[in-house]
Amino acid sequence: MSHPDHVDSHGFHKEIQLGNKTIDLSQLSERERWRIEHQRLHEKHRGHEAMHAEMAIILLLTLVVAQIVLVQWKLRHFKSYQRATLLGMWLIPVALCIKFHWIRFLVIWSIFSVITGFVAFKASRKPLSGSTPRWVYKWFLLIYKMSYTAGIVGYLIIMFTIFGLNILLLIKPQTSMDFGLLLLFYGLYFGVVARDVAEVCADIMAAQIGYYSTTGLPSKSLDRNICAVCGNEIFIMNNEDAIIEKTIKLTCGHVFHEFCIRGWCIVGKKQTCPYCKEKVDLKRMFPGPWERPHVLYGNLLDWIRYLVAWQPVIILLVQGINWVLGLE
């Protein structure tokens, strides 16, 4: 019969039971204490190899089945998959932050959610105000640029810390690395959530404006001086204002406000003409080398979506299966 371990005021084991021997760790060197603790851990888990193998098999099978289910769900019912992913992206990190009392993220998330919720509310109103699409795209383009900048700056800070350049600014490596990881996380997280909400708003507004339809045929004709994204005039020329906005002409011949078509293609992930649904040539639209990474950055965010929204769900599912089977 083994005796309970004695613990000091700091939470460390002073005496432990190892086989038939009682060992006083306070009389040993630090290296010997770690060796004894390691040996004790091995004895505790001796004979559990079969159980660990079962847990590994359950993890692999769950990952494979989950991947198949998610891929099929996305192919067959994209809109419900998109909404479920957005809900997971929006709530799962918040639940973790509440659990660990990460107040900074909760404050930023709350501000972002309130403004984005108001923007989405305005985009869903019927009839749609003529100025609403412009403000919607401006907001999401702003969030897109901020998240892109935060992600890049965070990545550069991490690389500078790895190469020891933080010493030049007399900044501790831990502080520099934490700040870089924080910026990278904020950039990736809010970039993904904003893109998903932007796509939902783009679908809602396009359906209300009336030029874009699921069949691919425009529901009404497009006037030559009207932008099919926002529904406003492309050239504003009257006695009070004399404003000529920058425009972009697609290969299909249709002309749009520059910020409207950028918001439609990059932020809203619509790589087709808003009016006739012809494929958009992104290389022709954004020829500059400093603009092309924006498209690549959008592809990166798609990979992050799975890690944030679905990976925690799969891990919880695996833990639930282990609990039901009595595996520890």
Side-chain angles (χ1 to χ4, degrees), residues 67-82 85 269 302 305:
Q67 290 289 341
I68 295 174
V69 171
L70 290 176
V71 170
Q72 292 301 316
W73 184 10
K74 185 176 181 180
L75 292 176
R76 299 174 184 271
H77 305 283
F78 177 75
K79 285 192 176 297
S80 62
Y81 171 83
Q82 180 192 46
T85 303
K269 295 186 294 184
D302 292 336
R305 185 177 292 106

Side-chain angles (χ1 to χ4, degrees), residues 38-209:
H38 188 68
Q39 183 180 350
R40 182 170 175 266
L41 185 64
H42 271 284
E43 289 192 1
K44 180 180 179 180
H45 291 278
R46 182 177 297 171
H48 292 181
E49 290 80 6
M51 183 177 66
H52 294 164
E54 292 179 15
M55 295 174 66
I57 293 175
I58 290 173
L59 175 61
L60 292 176
L61 289 178
T62 305
L63 287 174
V64 172
V65 173
Q67 290 289 341
I68 295 174
V69 171
L70 290 176
V71 170
Q72 292 301 316
W73 184 10
K74 185 176 181 180
L75 292 176
R76 299 174 184 271
H77 305 283
F78 177 75
K79 285 192 176 297
S80 62
Y81 171 83
Q82 180 192 46
R83 301 299 191 272
T85 303
L86 176 57
L87 185 63
M89 285 290 304
W90 187 57
L91 293 179
I92 290 177
V94 175
L96 294 175
C97 290
I98 293 175
K99 179 180 179 180
F100 295 107
H101 305 289
W102 293 336
I103 305 300
R104 183 194 301 110
F105 176 83
L106 291 176
V107 172
I108 297 176
W109 177 87
S110 299
I111 296 173
F112 169 80
S113 297
V114 169
I115 299 177
T116 303
F118 177 75
V119 170
F121 173 79
K122 292 288 290 183
S124 63
R125 293 300 85 196
K126 295 181 180 180
L128 186 68
S129 172
S131 62
T132 296
R134 304 169 69 89
W135 289 110
V136 169
Y137 286 121
K138 284 182 178 180
W139 167 249
F140 285 116
L141 277 172
L142 174 63
I143 295 297
Y144 178 78
K145 292 176 180 179
M146 290 175 62
S147 65
Y148 178 81
T149 302
I152 294 299
V153 172
Y155 174 77
L156 291 177
I157 291 176
I158 292 173
M159 296 305 298
F160 287 163
T161 305
I162 291 176
F163 288 106
L165 299 180
N166 57 290
I167 299 177
L168 300 177
L169 300 176
L170 302 179
I171 300 176
K172 295 181 179 179
Q174 187 65 38
T175 303
S176 178
M177 183 64 73
D178 288 346
F179 183 66
L181 289 173
L182 190 67
L183 282 180
L184 184 61
F185 169 75
Y186 280 2
L188 292 175
Y189 174 75
F190 288 108
V192 172
V193 175
R195 279 177 66 89
D196 287 349
V197 179
E199 185 171 7
V200 173
C201 292
D203 286 337
I204 296 175
M205 290 190 301
Q208 293 190 54
I209 291 172

Side-chain angles (χ1 to χ4, degrees), residues 254-272:
H254 297 120
V255 183
F256 306 91
H257 296 123
E258 182 183 18
F259 71 86
C260 285
I261 197 62
R262 286 176 183 269
W264 176 270
C265 293
I266 297 182
V267 180
K269 295 186 294 184
K270 304 291 186 181
Q271 298 187 23
T272 56

